[in-house]
């Protein structure tokens, strides 16, 4: 519940609400956006990054926390493994059990492949489940993939790989149609027309949602479909190293069973990495919206094997993470809240930025208001934040809108005695998404033959900033493309002797470059206790 002091501050919000109703705050100019990013956005803090000393991206800048993992030793460094004995032998091995992995599995299965998903936790324990707001697709008469393309490029500051953006927006309408036909319960009008809304940085209403459970609803349907197709899923078994054959081609992975603590060999003709993000590395000590297993595993595995990184220094901080109460600090407050009309306000009840700027610009405005201008709201836990005027939604769209369109958000706050229909909420940026990742082409290929990548672990699609709704789209579009690619490629692959020579070579490179470390990677699971190592 709000304290008495907070209640006094809310009176300022209520006092300015009538004059803000129906009035659009001016958007920033291109120069203003550049300036606010350079002055406030975490990606511009040079002391929080360092250059890599080994690997195909040697000399490239990455977050310090990621650099430690990329330059760590393998978990297998002291193990003598018999790579001639296989626990699993499949055509397509998918590492990661979120939306991208499930989509890839379904498509590869259609191609006649014997498919297996190996996932760190339970099938579906992934950032896909955490996604709330929606999925973009230009499928309305007033919209087009070309308009969607320009929005994506603009949101990414025109640093995106154009071929990947083209694939994303071209496949978008079919991807949403596919999900709809599988049974995803998208919001619809009485006549069956899809309900669509704006997102930050979008020029058209193309956000399709299932209330504010969109990711969970998509994952529910994909997971059921994978089980219906009787595709094998191995849970609690993260990959700890890729296996290559003697020709340097991807040929499987070493899995680690978290329950039995055994290492298992999975041989495969093709491999797809779909391990998701890195939020649980807590870059720059930010809280995160990410699920417990998001520890950059795929980046580590792919990089050691020779896959190239792109924009690994570009991280997305979602502007609206919960800043109060402390029990949900960092939890996602979906952008859909702002797309429905809630506006950000400072301690004086003044709007200080347009509510639907791109996420990096919006986050920068929040940070500036709290720390450069000193107009943030202080919480009892010592955090700062700004108001998000949620009651404005019902004044604009009618009573009952929040309960109908944002039921998860409403319930989350009701647990702590806050009714977002009547009172504003306090928010602050939270670590949300890995903009960069392993470089792929439009068919999800990497520079390592027979190795494909899809989902958040892939890079280049969103450039240096992602727009709302393009992550759920990304996992479907490129998950399906990866499944198709691997499902076609396995038919021509002749399996050869398995090898971990690339790991030995990587360790040698660490030594040659004077890197002495006692860290091992991938991390697998984060710790939240003081004095313990940052891995399991």
């Amino acid at each position: 519940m709000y304290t008495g002091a907070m209640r006094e501050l809310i009176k300022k919000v209520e006092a300015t609400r009538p004059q803000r109703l129906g009035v659009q705050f001016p958007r920033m100019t291109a120069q203003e956006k550049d300036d606010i990013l350079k002055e406030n956005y975490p990606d511009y803090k040079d002391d929080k990054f360092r250059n890599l000393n080994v690997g195909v991206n040697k000399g490239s800048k990455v977050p310090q926390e990621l650099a430690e993992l990329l330059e760590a030793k393998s978990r297998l460094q002291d193990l003598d493994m018999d790579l001639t004995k296989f626990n699993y032998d499949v055509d397509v091995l998918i590492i990661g059990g979120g939306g991208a992995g499930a989509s890839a599995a379904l498509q590869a299965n259609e191609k006649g492949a014997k498919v297996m998903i190996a996932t760190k936790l339970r099938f579906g324990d992934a950032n896909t489940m955490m996604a709330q707001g929606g999925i973009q697709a230009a499928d309305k008469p007033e919209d087009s993939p070309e308009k969607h393309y320009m929005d994506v490029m603009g949101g990414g500051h025109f640093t995106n790989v154009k071929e990947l953006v083209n694939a994303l927006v071209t496949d978008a309408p079919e991807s949403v149609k596919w999900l709809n036909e599988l049974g995803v319960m998208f919001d619809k009008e009485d006549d069956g027309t899809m309900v669509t809304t704006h997102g930050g940085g979008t020029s058209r209403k193309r956000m399709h949602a299932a209330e504010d459970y969109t990711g969970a609803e998509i994952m529910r349907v994909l997971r059921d479909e994978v089980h219906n197709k009787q595709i094998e899923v191995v849970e609690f078994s993260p990959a700890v190293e890729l296996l290559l054959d003697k020709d340097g081609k991807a040929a499987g992975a070493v899995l680690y069973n978290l329950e039995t603590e055994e290492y298992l060999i999975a041989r495969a003709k093709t491999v797809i990495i779909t391990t998701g993000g890195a939020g649980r590395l807590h870059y720059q000590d930010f809280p995160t919206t990410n699920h417990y297993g998001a520890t950059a595993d795929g980046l580590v595995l792919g990089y050691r094997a020779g896959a190239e990184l792109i924009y690994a220094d570009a991280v997305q901080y979602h502007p609206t993470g919960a800043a109060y109460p402390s029990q949900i600090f960092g939890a996602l407050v979906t952008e859909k809240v702002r797309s429905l009309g809630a506006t950000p306000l400072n301690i004086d009840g003044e709007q200080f930025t347009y509510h639907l700027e791109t996420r990096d610009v919006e986050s920068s405005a929040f940070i500036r208001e709290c720390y450069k201008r000193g107009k943030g709201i202080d919480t009892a836990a010592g955090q700062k934040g700004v108001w998000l005027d949620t009651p404005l939604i019902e004044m604009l769209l009618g009573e009952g809108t929040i309960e109908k369109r944002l039921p998860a958000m409403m319930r989350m706050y009701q647990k702590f005695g806050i009714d977002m229909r009547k009172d504003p909420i306090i928010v602050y940026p939270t670590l949300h998404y890995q903009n960069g990742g392993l470089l792929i082409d439009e068919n999800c290929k990497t520079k390592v033959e027979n190795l494909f990548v899809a989902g958040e672990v892939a890079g280049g699609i969103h450039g240096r900033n992602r727009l709302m709704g393009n992550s759920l789209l990304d996992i479907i579009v490129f998950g399906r493309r990866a499944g198709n690619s691997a499902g076609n490629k396995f038919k021509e692959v002749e399996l050869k002797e398995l090898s971990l020579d690339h790991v030995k070579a990587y360790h040698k490179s660490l030594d040659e470059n004077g890197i002495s470390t006692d860290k091992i990677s991938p991390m697998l699971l984060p710790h939240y206790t003081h004095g313990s190592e940052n891995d399991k």
Side-chain angles (χ1 to χ4, degrees), residues 65-79 120 239-241 256 258 263 281 295-297 300-301 304 503 506-507 510 515-527 532-536:
E65 298 88 345
L66 178 59
E68 287 187 358
L69 293 182
L70 293 175
E71 295 181 354
K73 296 292 182 72
S74 170
R75 291 177 171 274
L76 307 181
Q77 60 181 322
D78 297 321
L79 293 179
K120 182 190 297 188
V240 296
E241 213 66 71
Y256 179 68
L258 294 174
Y263 289 98
L281 300 189
T295 53
D297 297 1
V300 172
L301 301 179
R304 269 199 200 124
V503 178
Y506 200 81
H507 283 172
L510 291 175
I515 299 171
S516 177
T517 177
D518 59 357
K519 287 194 171 292
I520 58 173
S521 65
M523 179 187 290
L524 300 186
L525 297 173
H527 276 300
S532 61
E533 293 183 6
N534 262 351
D535 58 6
K536 174 166 170 59

Side-chain angles (χ1 to χ4, degrees), residues 159-175:
T159 59
N160 321 54
V161 177
K162 296 176 182 178
E163 294 79 4
L164 298 180
V165 180
N166 183 62
L168 181 77
V169 302
T170 301
D171 287 7
E174 170 57 30
S175 295

Side-chain angles (χ1 to χ4, degrees), residues 124-250:
D125 285 343
N127 282 346
T128 304
M129 286 291 292
M130 320 292 277
Q132 299 167 341
I135 177 171
Q136 287 204 47
D139 58 1
K140 293 290 181 72
E142 66 276 11
D143 203 358
S144 69
E146 290 79 12
K147 292 183 177 73
H148 191 180
Y149 177 92
M150 290 307 300
D151 286 348
V152 176
M153 292 296 294
H157 305 291
F158 296 94
T159 59
N160 321 54
V161 177
K162 296 176 182 178
E163 294 79 4
L164 298 180
V165 180
N166 183 62
L168 181 77
V169 302
T170 301
D171 287 7
E174 170 57 30
S175 295
V176 169
K177 181 174 180 286
W178 180 68
L179 290 172
N180 185 54
E181 290 175 349
L182 284 179
V184 172
M185 298 177 68
F186 287 112
D187 297 339
K188 296 176 182 176
E189 305 288 1
D190 292 340
D191 64 359
T193 303
M194 292 268 198
V195 174
T196 52
T197 58
H198 269 300
T202 62
S203 61
R204 296 290 186 276
K205 293 182 178 181
R206 66 173 71 95
M207 198 70 55
H208 302 67
E211 297 181 337
D212 53 351
Y213 296 101
T214 313
E217 171 62 7
I218 289 173
M219 194 70 241
R220 175 190 70 82
V221 170
L222 293 178
R223 183 170 48 202
D224 284 353
E225 192 68 10
V226 166
H227 287 317
N228 288 341
K229 298 293 184 181
Q230 298 184 326
I231 295 170
E232 185 175 12
V233 179
V234 180
E235 298 182 315
F236 300 106
S237 297
V240 296
E241 213 66 71
L242 291 180
L243 290 167
L244 305 183
D245 68 15
K246 287 298 184 180
D247 295 332
K249 300 175 183 179

Side-chain angles (χ1 to χ4, degrees), residues 57-123:
N57 287 87
K58 184 176 181 178
S60 296
K61 185 174 74 170
V62 301
Q64 291 179 354
E65 298 88 345
L66 178 59
E68 287 187 358
L69 293 182
L70 293 175
E71 295 181 354
K73 296 292 182 72
S74 170
R75 291 177 171 274
L76 307 181
Q77 60 181 322
D78 297 321
L79 293 179
D80 184 19
M81 304 194 71
D82 184 354
L83 301 182
T84 65
K85 296 179 180 178
F86 319 126
N87 301 94
Y88 307 99
D89 197 2
V90 296
D91 298 321
V92 179
L93 172 65
I94 298 170
I95 302 171
S103 299
L106 292 172
Q107 293 303 120
N109 179 74
E110 273 196 15
K111 297 289 184 179
K114 181 182 179 184
V115 181
M116 185 179 89
I117 297 173
T119 187
K120 182 190 297 188
L121 301 172
R122 297 167 302 179
F123 184 26

